[in-house]
């Protein structure tokens, strides 16, 4: 989704803004722009549709726009098509105010009508231009930039992270937030704003996350933060410990491939600190055994791949804890009048920690009295901040739109949590507890082994990339694995793909299986292997071209029926999807590569979905 960067300091602003925006490119965008305030108090704006490079070329890499204060934006079109005019920053009619905005101003039509009646001429179709024009209107009325911002914020409704500059104040950026991510970066003689810490990695690690209703005034020397009542407040600073290199490709052709390869290391970081002397230790969970016993209902709430992690979690947590677990898509949860009260635990899963639907579900759950525990990758993100307990996944920045290492670390942490809770409840035997812990210890190395044997996957991808429809089938945990395999494939290769619980085939889907249909049959769940095999025979006898995935111990059996077989090491059944997902990620990657797709930035998709 849209990205925001702002800089005020002693260096030329434009190259810093372009660099910051380039670090946000992964979020997805369709146009980009910057506004720089010249020393003479003149707002110079450059913007263009398409890739950031187009904008950069237009302004000589930033050299042609001179000034040491500026704001920059990558736009993901919501109101008005992607074109030069609709891209941000937007200027007021008198060219005194420049605004960048993430989010949606819901009452923009009414304000636009009001301003048109006042003689204001609009040039774009966006909701954001309304903010720039309204700000200029109030500024002309009161002559005070900060006061005018306050008036605007009281008038607009909706979601926003705003960066605002005024030509009369070439030494100040004002920023404000409501329901859209925004952070402040503290530098030496320079200060920053950004929608995402990744943008600031080379410049500062010292940040403050803004909360809803807060406003900040940035000068070169200081940042003053105000609450919604416009009282000055002090906020805790956070330190970003991500390496700059973690957000760069480092010789890999694609971030997605790099991140797939980073999984062993990411898993080590997620698992090792929480395993001590053969026991799972969650210093970061404050929920006590007494409180847990009091919990009558558990929901797991998330979107997309994070939801698929939740699907695996449902099977595993129920198995280990012997408590019923509901998995809900965040976008459905909040409109479904969920059965949530103070005896409910809601586990929220999100890589970005900013997904709007998930955030809204969290708030709904909290307002109904639930306790919220979140599993989040981005430290200090909104979901993390609003949860009662947070378990970070420590996967480092994930840049490719299609998640891989975040999925894997979320899954490891959720499985660990299930086992930890099961131990608290006394619902897991000592033997099983120890077997899963052993499996967790071995997991990063087993993922490494799986990654090292990827030649077969390349070969299969080369022979299957021309299919236009694929079915993933599996039972129990293999079904949940299929959901993720199918999403990975469709989102980056644009091949139509569906995941089915094998037992459902004969209730409808099997009518779609004909000569040559590609079926990816998942047979890694040992307990139901024989049943999975009958489904393989079923689709084969209708002409399906089957690619199977199974474990070492079932390889020979699978090869009796299927020629093309991918194999992963054996582990404890609850951890098997953590290995099974790796070949499916690679398969999707290589298929997309053969099809010439834009792997890191698939069409129509954004990394962090901050609109409903
Ligand atoms: C798919 C993918 C998305 C995200 C979903 C939730 O590869 O990345 O489906 O999983 O948008 O995002 P987070 O986890 O940031 O809430």
């Amino acid at each position: 989704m849209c990205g925001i960067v702002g800089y005020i300091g002693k260096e030329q602003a434009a190259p810093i803004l372009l660099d910051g925006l380039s670090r946000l490119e992964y979020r997805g965008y369709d146009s980009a722009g910057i506004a720089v305030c010249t020393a003479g108090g003149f707002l110079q704006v450059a913007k263009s549709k398409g890739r950031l490079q187009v904008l950069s070329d237009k302004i000589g890499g930033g050299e042609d726009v001179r000034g040491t204060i500026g704001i920059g934006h990558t736009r993901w079109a919501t109101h008005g098509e992607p074109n030069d005019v609709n891209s941000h920053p937007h200027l007021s009619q008198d060219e005194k105010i420049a605004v960048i905005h993430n989010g949606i101003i819901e009452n923009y039509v009414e304000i636009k009508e009001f301003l048109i009646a006042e003689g204001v001429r609009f040039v774009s179709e966006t909701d954001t231009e309304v903010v720039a024009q309204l700000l200029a209107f109030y500024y002309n009325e009161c002559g005070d930039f900060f006061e005018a911002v306050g008036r605007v914020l009281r008038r607009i409704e909706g979601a926003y992270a705003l960066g605002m500059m005024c030509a009369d104040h070439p030494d100040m950026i004002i920023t404000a937030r409501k329901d859209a991510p925004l952070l402040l970066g503290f530098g030496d003689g320079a200060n920053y704003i950004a929608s995402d810490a990744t943008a600031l990695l080379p410049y500062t690690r010292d940040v403050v996350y803004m909360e809803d209703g807060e406003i900040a005034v940035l000068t070169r020397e200081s940042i003053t933060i105000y609450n919604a009542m416009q009282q000055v407040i002090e906020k805790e600073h956070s330190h970003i410990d991500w390496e700059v290199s973690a957000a760069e490709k480092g010789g890999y052709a694609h971030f997605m491939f790099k991140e797939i390869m980073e999984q062993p290391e990411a898993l080590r970081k997620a698992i090792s600190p929480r395993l001590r002397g053969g026991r799972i230790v969650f210093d970061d969970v404050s929920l006590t055994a007494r409180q847990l016993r009091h919990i009558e209902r558990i929901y797991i709430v998330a979107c997309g791949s994070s939801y698929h992690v939740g699907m695996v979690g449902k099977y595993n947590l129920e198995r280990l804890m012997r408590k019923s677990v509901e998995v809900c898509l965040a976008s459905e949860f909040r409109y479904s009048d969920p059965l949530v009260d103070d005896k409910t635990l809601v586990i929220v899963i999100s890589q970005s920690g900013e997904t709007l639907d998930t955030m809204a579900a969290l708030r709904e759950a909290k307002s109904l009295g639930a306790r919220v525990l979140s599993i989040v990758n981005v430290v200090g993100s909104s979901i993390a901040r609003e949860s009662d307990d947070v378990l970070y996944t420590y996967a480092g920045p994930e840049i490719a739109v299609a998640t891989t290492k975040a999925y894997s670390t979320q899954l490891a942490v959720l499985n660990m949590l299930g086992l930890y809770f099961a131990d608290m409840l006394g619902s897991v035997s000592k033997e099983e507890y120890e077997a899963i812990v052993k499996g967790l210890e071995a997991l990063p190395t087993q993922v490494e082994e799986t990654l090292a044997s990827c030649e077969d996957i390349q070969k299969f991808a080369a022979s299957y990339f021309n299919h236009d429809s694929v079915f993933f089938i599996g039972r129990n945990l293999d079904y949940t694995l299929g959901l993720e395999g199918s999403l990975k494939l469709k989102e980056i290769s644009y091949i139509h793909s569906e995941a089915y619980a094998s037992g459902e085939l004969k209730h409808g889907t099997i009518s779609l299986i004909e000569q040559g249909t590609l079926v990816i049959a998942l047979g890694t769940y040992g307990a139901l292997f024989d049943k999975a095999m009958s489904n393989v025979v079923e689709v084969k006898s209708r002409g399906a071209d089957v690619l199977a995935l199974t474990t070492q111990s079932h390889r020979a059996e699978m090869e009796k029926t299927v020629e093309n077989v991918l194999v992963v090491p054996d582990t404890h059944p609850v951890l098997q999807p953590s290995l099974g997902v790796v070949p499916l990620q690679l398969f999707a990657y290589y298929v997309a590569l053969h099809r010439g797709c834009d792997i890191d930035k698939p069409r129509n998709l954004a990394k962090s979905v901050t609109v409903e």
Side-chain angles (χ1 to χ4, degrees), residues 325-340:
V325 177
E326 292 270 342
V327 199
C328 237
L329 290 165
S331 52
E332 291 295 318
F333 178 83
R334 63 174 159 146
Y335 298 121
S336 63
D337 197 6
L339 295 171
V340 171

Side-chain angles (χ1 to χ4, degrees), residues 21-37:
L21 292 178
S22 74
R23 292 169 196 280
L24 298 181
E25 275 192 295
Y26 76 96
R27 295 168 65 99
Y29 68 103
D30 42 47
S31 56
I34 62 168
V36 170
C37 192

Side-chain angles (χ1 to χ4, degrees), residues 242-394:
W242 289 350
E243 292 303 322
V244 179
S245 60
E248 289 171 351
K249 269 193 213 149
Y252 287 91
H254 296 99
F255 278 111
M256 184 179 174
F257 191 69
K258 176 175 180 249
E259 288 159 7
I260 289 174
M261 291 301 173
E262 282 171 352
Q263 289 180 111
E265 204 39 44
L267 282 166
R268 273 186 197 105
K269 285 190 182 145
I271 296 172
S272 309
R274 292 164 170 145
L275 278 185
R276 285 180 223 151
R279 309 288 309 163
I280 296 178
V281 185
F282 275 117
D283 293 330
D284 24 16
V285 174
S286 59
L287 191 77
T288 62
R290 222 181 109 253
Q291 287 168 325
L292 185 62
R293 272 192 287 276
H294 176 76
I295 298 290
E296 287 177 356
R297 212 172 282 117
I298 299 178
Y299 279 99
I300 302 179
V301 181
C303 300
S305 291
S306 298
Y307 168 77
H308 296 157
V309 169
M311 287 290 288
V312 182
K314 174 186 166 60
Y315 284 91
N316 285 345
L317 267 58
E318 283 187 343
R319 168 182 173 155
L320 296 167
M321 294 170 69
R322 306 314 300 157
K323 268 186 188 276
S324 136
V325 177
E326 292 270 342
V327 199
C328 237
L329 290 165
S331 52
E332 291 295 318
F333 178 83
R334 63 174 159 146
Y335 298 121
S336 63
D337 197 6
L339 295 171
V340 171
D341 58 20
D342 63 354
K343 296 191 186 65
T344 310
L345 172 66
V346 175
I347 301 175
V348 166
I349 308 177
S350 176
Q351 186 285 128
S352 60
E354 300 293 350
T355 303
L356 189 97
D357 282 322
T358 312
M359 184 70 210
L362 178 157
R363 287 181 177 163
E364 172 75 7
K366 284 198 83 169
S367 74
L368 294 169
R371 186 177 178 108
V372 175
L373 181 155
S374 63
I375 298 179
V376 175
N377 191 37
V378 178
V379 175
S381 54
S382 305
I383 289 174
R385 291 201 311 277
E386 293 197 22
S387 302
D388 297 305
D389 291 299
V390 192
L391 297 179
Y392 285 115
T393 49
Y394 304 123

Side-chain angles (χ1 to χ4, degrees), residues 485-499:
S486 168
L487 179 60
K488 283 287 89 77
L489 185 66
K490 75 182 98 174
E491 68 180 327
I492 61 167
S493 74
Y494 316 143
I495 296 178
H496 166 253
S497 153
E498 294 190 38

